[in-house]
Amino acid sequence: MSPHEAGDRRPHDKYEHALGLLARRLSTDINQAVHLDLMCGSGHMAELLSVQHGVHYVGVDVDGDRIEALTARGFEAHVADLDSSTVAASLDRILDGRPLASITLVDGLEYLGGGPRLLDAIGAMLARERAVGVVSVPNATHLDIGIKALLGEWDYVDPDVLEQSPVRLYSRPSLRAVLRTAGLTSIEEADVVVAHSDQHFPADHVALSRASSVGQWLRHLRSAAEPSGMVSHFVWTVVPVPPAAMAADSSVGTPFLSVIMRTQGRREQELREALLCLAGQTDLDFEVLVVAHRTTRDQQTAVERVLEDQPPALRARTRLMLLDHGSRSAPLNLGLREARGRYIGVFDDDDLVLGHWVEEFHKAADRDPGRVLRSSTLRQDAAVVDVRGFPGVRAVGAPTKVWSTEFSLIEHLVGNQSPSMGWIYPRSLHVHMGLAYDESMTTTEDWDVLLRAAELAGVTDIDAVTAIYHFWTERESSATLHSRDEWNANQREIERRLDSRPFLVPPGETRALRRTLVRMQDVERGMCVQDLATQQQAVNMDVERRQHEQERRRLTRRLARKNAELLTVRGQNAEMRRQLAGRDEGSNPPSASESREGQHLARGWMRRVRKIIQRQR
Amino acid sequence: MLREPFPGHPVSLVVQSLVKENAAEAVVRSLEALDNSAGSGKRDLMCERLSVVLGDASTEAVLDDHQLNSLRKEFLSIDEIQYVDLDEKTGTAEGHNRLANFSESDYLVTSDAEVIVDARALWRLASAFADGRVGVAEAKRLPVEHPKEYDRQTGRTSWAGMDFTMTRRDLFEQVGGFDEETFDTHGAAVDFSWLVREAGYDVVFHPGALVFLDRRLTSEGGSVPTDGAEFEAALSALLLAHKWSREDRVERGLAAYDSSSLAEHRRAAADFRDRRTGGRLVKQHDRDNAVGSFVDDVYAEHRFAL
């Protein structure tokens, strides 16, 4: 298929979608109210709108020939420059006091340098006339375009496009923003989804392929970041709302770090300790988002009281949010959505951080912006005691190093070596890459996020101990609240996800991986040699056993034969004794030679028999 | 929800700190937390009066008059902030004794100048004195908790440090405050605690009363050592052992320091012998060794090594 064929495949989808949206919004009591079709071109929707919805169709375009053709088809149509600064007045003149039912602007906004002006006019008209609008704009960020642009490719598939180049390109967020500035917002969306756009060529383009590793990885990256990768045209129903300014640079005036702290209000003293650690930070460039999760009224009051007790400097940078649903991940996602900091850190209500916790992260962020930052965390066993009737946390062991000081992504594939308060990550991972906590996971949600964050951002190690993870020896914790099976199931889910897509390994990690694999191979080889030796030994023993068995059988057979011979000899002896006895009684005694011969014979047999018996032994 | 302990009646107290080359910002933050705590205590009718006495033994004043006036206007829950100029050579024991003369409150709190106090810590400590046997109550230090053992029900312990510890003023005066003749900084708190216990009162640790004091840990979990304290630590160990009638430990310590590779240790042993031969050692206490607790190189059983 040529690029042109691909581009011509579904030219009218956007119109069908626009008509579908209008059909759901247009009143049945239109009574020939006007429908303004702006940038109408050939008037694709003119007949359908007139016949099916009973509106009075009015086409508006800058192209006189097309307007003439539309008029020739019996429709009202006007030539107007919709890019002009007087566009609002022009549209009012065309409407001429008639009631307005709806407006469509399908594929036109991108050609107008003064597009926002037209949108302003549309917003004002819709608000005034209580009408509905449908706007359609091509998505400049379709995955095919994005991937090719990433690789330095930019292809025009339609020769006409060179003569009529778009002057503004739109993504979902930028369209949303420009609409909002004009006092419009989308209330329904029927985007045109095209898996293979007109930019999807050549067919065996490695990066565009769904089957290639890079193609899969880029698709995964895009789908996590933003859902419009397959959208060729945004088609939205818009209604008027109060205008709002487009967001300026979001980094201005924001704190360095947003600390998300989950609490259930059941550990008032531990929460007090955790917040005191934040009050004692040497670097105060942070905000705290305390998310009270599934708290009772009393528990909420307890949390509020602890927050009220904080020094003004901390209280001023702390926000309390209440959340009554969801798993352990839900409060983290709420915090993530509400966070304003450049970085995100998770510090639960029963652990401790040292005074330079924020400071060390901040210094590292200045050195290595955009990376996950990880410092060392020590584990300390702790218990709750009641001293003089009041609860207090008692350390029952020394702070101990149990987790790796240096981060290795490969090592983290096997098990989590990083308690949640020991690392922070750029909020950009959430805003631009779609990173969030999986709310279906009941444990290990932080590990899952760390793996994804570390894969995308890389990790900078900080050579400092900045946190203490409390391991509770005498009361419940997440380690005891969830069964081993549950922990294992969540780990398997993480592994399944990792295996479902290509995985980006940071520089240096392949060396570590190679080293590990070589070590394992050596171990396996060692085990192989050992196995072979064991097998050889077993074979030898088997052969020996068989040989012994054969020899035993042979000797048994021989013994049987000799026994038979012995019996024969004994019979002969007995016969001889009888004969000798007969001779004693009436015959001659055996001669000396006869007697010697008999004794010799008997001794010989006895020797043979003894030898056989010895062999058998 | 936890029910806060009540001291029995609103209390008056002074928090006194020695400022020694601290950052002004850190001292101000400490005052902010104290002001917050005072406000909390007054709202809940636990605090009658809270004053602060800062003794500055720095080479140059950490806070000037202008800053102090601003702080006095800003921290309105603190009834009084006094700023006392101390000689640079003033030791901790002497400094706290001198600062104690600037107030008359029921309770006296020795505090590190940079401590961040939890709003409830003072009032929880004060409530411990509802038990008439308690003479000294120490707050728990975060994030690195001291490993000394304490009773899990009563909080009774061998000794209390000076980072944030509350003492009954009458008892402070009864035992003569810190032994500044013998101790500079090291050993002073242990000695004071044992004097209190010798007088028949308990020294208690209150894990529910919290303060934050910025301390660092090594990658293996050990405490980061402070420089240049070997001489004073060694000398105070010998002086404590002498004062609390442990001649066996004195002799063992002298032998160890004599053979130490550190010159500071050998100097400490020589200094002790000079004091002994010159008759400058203090009168001995606790002849039957009922109070002093010498466990290896420390002065209490420890739950873990740090």
Side-chain angles (χ1 to χ4, degrees):
Chain A
M1 184 190 297
S2 74
H4 300 279
E5 286 167 342
D8 292 343
R9 243 176 350 153
R10 277 176 282 187
H12 300 300
D13 274 1
K14 58 200 170 199
Y15 299 110
E16 290 167 13
H17 286 224
L19 284 166
L21 288 177
L22 276 178
R24 283 194 286 280
R25 299 288 168 184
L26 282 176
S27 161
T28 52
D29 184 24
I30 289 174
N31 196 20
Q32 281 296 298
V34 170
H35 172 87
L36 277 179
D37 189 6
L38 306 179
M39 304 285 283
C40 65
S42 306
H44 289 286
M45 299 181 291
E47 283 82 0
L48 279 169
L49 279 168
S50 301
V51 174
Q52 290 185 2
H53 299 294
V55 293
H56 176 72
Y57 179 91
V58 177
V60 183
D61 203 295
V62 73
D63 186 334
D65 293 343
R66 290 185 170 184
I67 290 299
E68 202 174 311
L70 196 54
T71 308
R73 277 158 55 198
F75 292 103
E76 179 182 339
H78 301 267
V79 175
D81 180 5
L82 296 174
D83 207 9
S84 115
S85 58
T86 57
V87 62
S90 301
L91 292 177
D92 280 344
R93 268 197 304 279
I94 291 168
L95 192 59
D96 194 23
R98 291 174 289 179
L100 178 72
S102 49
I103 298 175
T104 48
L105 175 61
V106 177
D107 268 18
L109 197 57
E110 66 274 23
Y111 298 111
L112 303 178
R117 265 200 307 271
L118 176 59
L119 289 175
D120 285 344
I122 292 174
M125 289 184 89
L126 292 181
R128 193 181 65 219
E129 302 286 335
R130 297 179 182 276
V132 66
V134 171
V135 173
S136 171
V137 177
N139 176 18
T141 66
H142 189 284
L143 192 59
D144 293 342
I145 301 170
I147 289 176
K148 291 178 96 169
L150 177 73
L151 299 174
E153 298 172 37
W154 192 259
D155 299 308
Y156 287 102
V157 293
D158 182 354
D160 294 342
V161 91
L162 292 171
E163 295 174 7
Q164 200 181 10
S165 297
V167 293
R168 289 183 76 109
L169 302 176
Y170 290 94
S171 65
R172 179 180 292 276
S174 70
L175 178 59
R176 205 180 288 285
V178 78
L179 287 173
R180 190 63 211 264
T181 306
L184 292 166
T185 192
S186 148
I187 55 167
E188 191 175 4
E189 298 174 3
D191 297 336
V192 179
V193 175
V194 178
H196 289 181
S197 73
D198 54 3
Q199 290 288 330
H200 195 96
F201 62 90
D204 54 358
H205 192 300
V206 171
L208 297 178
S209 166
R210 288 170 172 274
S212 71
S213 294
V214 66
Q216 284 180 3
W217 192 82
L218 288 170
R219 278 163 199 278
H220 168 77
L221 189 70
R222 174 61 191 268
S223 64
E226 202 273 335
S228 315
M230 300 294 167
V231 171
S232 74
H233 284 77
F234 301 114
V235 187
W236 297 353
T237 304
V238 294
V239 293
V241 288
M246 287 170 79
D249 182 359
S250 60
S251 66
V252 176
T254 58
F256 159 65
L257 179 65
S258 293
V259 182
I260 303 174
M261 181 178 283
R262 289 177 288 195
T263 185
Q264 295 181 304
R266 293 187 294 173
R267 305 164 179 168
E268 192 177 327
Q269 187 63 11
E270 291 89 321
L271 174 64
R272 193 174 283 279
E273 289 203 353
L275 287 170
L276 184 60
C277 289
L278 292 178
Q281 290 300 301
T282 52
D283 183 338
L284 294 177
D285 194 1
F286 66 90
E287 64 170 355
V288 188
L289 300 109
V290 177
V291 186
H293 191 209
R294 295 173 177 273
T295 49
T296 63
R297 183 71 201 160
D298 274 356
Q299 288 163 343
Q300 181 189 327
T301 305
V303 172
E304 287 169 350
R305 194 176 69 155
V306 174
L307 292 181
E308 281 165 14
D309 277 349
Q310 298 312 306
L314 182 64
R315 212 162 47 211
R317 47 175 51 83
T318 303
R319 281 184 277 163
L320 173 64
M321 285 171 284
L322 306 177
L323 183 69
D324 280 333
H325 61 81
S327 66
R328 279 167 53 85
S329 302
L332 296 178
N333 281 337
L334 175 60
L336 202 49
R337 287 192 295 274
E338 294 293 323
R340 296 179 301 115
R342 287 163 47 211
Y343 281 75
I344 302 292
V346 175
F347 173 30
D348 281 335
D349 67 349
D350 59 349
D351 295 316
L352 304 175
V353 292
L354 275 64
H356 58 335
W357 184 63
V358 176
E359 181 189 338
E360 291 290 346
F361 284 136
H362 205 162
K363 284 191 290 189
D366 289 343
R367 283 194 308 269
D368 275 343
R371 285 169 68 82
V372 174
L373 309 169
R374 180 182 182 269
S375 58
S376 291
T377 300
L378 301 175
R379 183 186 120 155
Q380 186 165 37
D381 292 354
V384 175
V385 290
D386 274 325
V387 172
R388 296 186 175 269
F390 199 81
V393 176
R394 172 184 165 98
V396 296
T400 309
K401 179 187 168 184
V402 295
W403 296 290
S404 304
T405 309
E406 287 182 16
F407 182 85
S408 159
L409 186 54
I410 297 300
E411 185 183 35
H412 276 71
L413 293 179
V414 182
N416 193 4
Q417 290 284 323
S418 305
S420 57
M421 71 286 199
W423 52 280
I424 65 171
Y425 56 95
R427 190 161 66 91
S428 165
L429 280 169
H430 170 65
V431 175
H432 303 124
M433 315 291 249
L435 184 77
Y437 294 86
D438 185 332
E439 298 193 15
S440 71
M441 300 188 88
T442 51
T443 62
T444 65
E445 69 286 346
D446 52 339
W447 182 19
D448 179 48
V449 162
L450 174 60
L451 286 173
R452 287 186 281 151
E455 180 194 1
L456 294 171
V459 178
T460 291
D461 282 316
I462 299 166
D463 184 19
V465 171
T466 64
I468 294 173
Y469 173 89
H470 271 154
F471 187 82
W472 299 99
T473 57
E474 295 168 19
R475 74 150 166 77
E476 64 173 33
S477 66
S478 61
T480 56
L481 276 174
H482 304 274
S483 70
R484 196 65 247 165
D485 285 347
E486 197 174 343
W487 284 90
N488 289 340
N490 284 319
Q491 177 167 355
R492 280 196 296 277
E493 176 58 20
I494 290 175
E495 290 164 357
R496 187 194 65 73
R497 288 177 195 177
L498 286 170
D499 290 340
S500 70
R501 60 181 176 82
F503 189 73
L504 185 66
V505 177
E509 289 269 1
T510 54
R511 189 175 53 209
L513 186 58
R514 223 164 26 241
R515 228 172 16 228
T516 306
L517 285 174
V518 166
R519 203 166 48 235
M520 282 177 60
Q521 282 171 348
D522 287 347
V523 170
E524 280 177 358
R525 246 196 306 272
M527 285 172 64
C528 263
V529 170
Q530 207 173 345
D531 281 353
L532 282 173
T534 309
Q535 285 172 17
Q536 186 63 49
Q537 195 177 0
V539 168
N540 291 344
M541 286 172 67
D542 192 47
V543 168
E544 213 168 303
R545 189 182 57 76
R546 284 165 191 274
Q547 285 173 344
H548 284 168
E549 182 64 18
Q550 280 177 353
E551 181 67 3
R552 192 185 64 78
R553 285 187 192 144
R554 192 179 65 76
L555 292 173
T556 305
R557 282 197 301 271
R558 191 168 173 193
L559 179 63
R561 276 200 309 275
K562 296 302 178 189
N563 279 340
E565 288 173 12
L566 183 62
L567 283 173
T568 308
V569 171
R570 279 182 178 157
Q572 288 169 347
N573 283 347
E575 182 57 28
M576 282 170 68
R577 276 196 295 274
R578 269 198 308 277
Q579 287 174 4
L580 287 171
R583 197 180 290 173
D584 283 347
E585 289 169 5
S587 309
N588 293 330
S591 65
S593 62
E594 281 175 339
S595 180
R596 275 197 302 277
E597 187 187 353
Q599 287 170 359
H600 176 73
L601 196 61
R603 274 198 298 274
W605 281 119
M606 287 310 290
R607 269 200 304 276
R608 285 181 194 169
V609 168
R610 273 200 298 275
K611 200 179 276 180
I612 288 166
I613 289 168
Q614 276 172 355
R615 275 187 191 159
Q616 280 183 321
R617 283 174 185 164
Chain B
M1 193 166 59
L2 294 177
R3 192 184 180 84
E4 283 298 319
F6 190 72
H9 60 85
V11 295
S12 71
L13 50 85
V14 61
V15 179
Q16 56 182 50
S17 305
L18 291 178
V19 179
K20 202 145 192 170
E21 315 298 351
N22 300 79
E25 188 191 340
V27 177
V28 171
R29 288 185 61 197
S30 179
L31 286 173
E32 185 203 32
L34 271 176
D35 181 64
N36 184 52
S37 181
S40 164
K42 286 177 177 175
R43 270 195 307 277
D44 293 349
L45 304 178
M46 296 188 188
C47 175
E48 179 193 317
R49 176 183 167 80
L50 187 145
S51 63
V52 172
V53 182
L54 299 173
D56 193 339
S58 310
T59 46
E60 283 183 24
V62 169
L63 297 174
D64 59 29
D65 287 345
H66 176 70
Q67 286 171 304
L68 282 166
N69 286 333
S70 298
L71 295 174
R72 285 172 185 131
K73 286 176 188 161
E74 186 180 352
F75 301 139
L76 294 173
S77 294
I78 299 175
D79 293 281
E80 186 179 18
I81 300 176
Q82 297 184 73
Y83 204 71
V84 181
D85 185 26
L86 297 176
D87 185 85
E88 290 169 43
K89 292 177 182 169
T90 308
T92 308
E94 181 193 352
H96 275 300
N97 284 345
R98 285 191 57 193
L99 295 185
N101 296 323
F102 285 82
S103 61
E104 295 177 339
S105 55
D106 300 338
Y107 296 97
L108 185 154
V109 179
T110 55
S111 170
D112 185 280
E114 295 188 8
V115 103
I116 303 291
V117 61
D118 174 69
R120 303 283 168 179
L122 283 166
W123 322 116
R124 290 177 183 177
L125 287 178
S127 72
F129 293 92
D131 177 351
R133 290 168 300 182
V134 174
V136 170
E138 182 186 19
K140 177 184 163 183
R141 191 185 71 193
L142 290 175
V144 183
E145 186 178 342
H146 197 283
K148 68 172 177 275
E149 184 58 286
Y150 62 88
D151 186 275
R152 291 170 71 122
Q153 273 84 44
T154 64
R156 268 192 218 108
T157 188
S158 169
W159 63 279
M162 287 195 218
D163 289 339
F164 204 82
T165 297
M166 189 179 287
T167 306
R168 282 171 44 173
R169 178 176 291 276
D170 56 348
L171 185 58
F172 184 82
E173 288 167 357
Q174 180 188 328
V175 301
F178 295 102
D179 180 357
E180 63 184 67
E181 295 300 318
T182 308
F183 302 103
D184 187 2
T185 298
H186 280 264
V190 175
D191 176 69
F192 176 75
S193 300
W194 290 351
L195 290 172
V196 166
R197 287 176 50 214
E198 191 179 42
Y201 293 90
D202 287 340
V203 174
V204 300
F205 178 81
H206 201 321
L210 305 172
V211 296
F212 185 90
L213 189 55
D214 194 4
R215 291 283 183 267
R216 308 291 159 92
L217 290 167
T218 66
S219 62
E220 299 298 322
S223 54
V224 176
T226 48
D227 297 332
E230 286 83 2
F231 170 75
E232 210 203 325
L235 180 59
S236 69
L238 294 169
L239 293 170
L240 261 182
H242 162 76
K243 183 168 178 179
W244 294 92
S245 304
R246 289 295 299 268
E247 288 305 323
D248 58 324
R249 290 188 66 93
V250 171
E251 296 310 320
R252 210 163 55 233
L254 284 171
Y257 294 142
D258 282 341
S259 58
S260 169
S261 59
L262 288 177
E264 288 87 348
H265 285 171
R266 296 194 297 277
R267 194 157 62 83
D271 188 303
F272 181 82
R273 286 198 178 88
D274 281 352
R275 288 176 188 233
R276 188 156 65 180
T277 52
R280 288 185 286 117
L281 292 177
V282 290
K283 182 171 71 77
Q284 288 190 304
H285 289 241
D286 193 25
R287 288 287 188 185
D288 53 357
N289 299 139
V291 176
S293 172
F294 294 85
V295 183
D296 299 325
D297 292 332
V298 294
Y299 306 107
E301 293 284 351
H302 279 193
R303 286 166 281 153
F304 50 86
L306 193 64

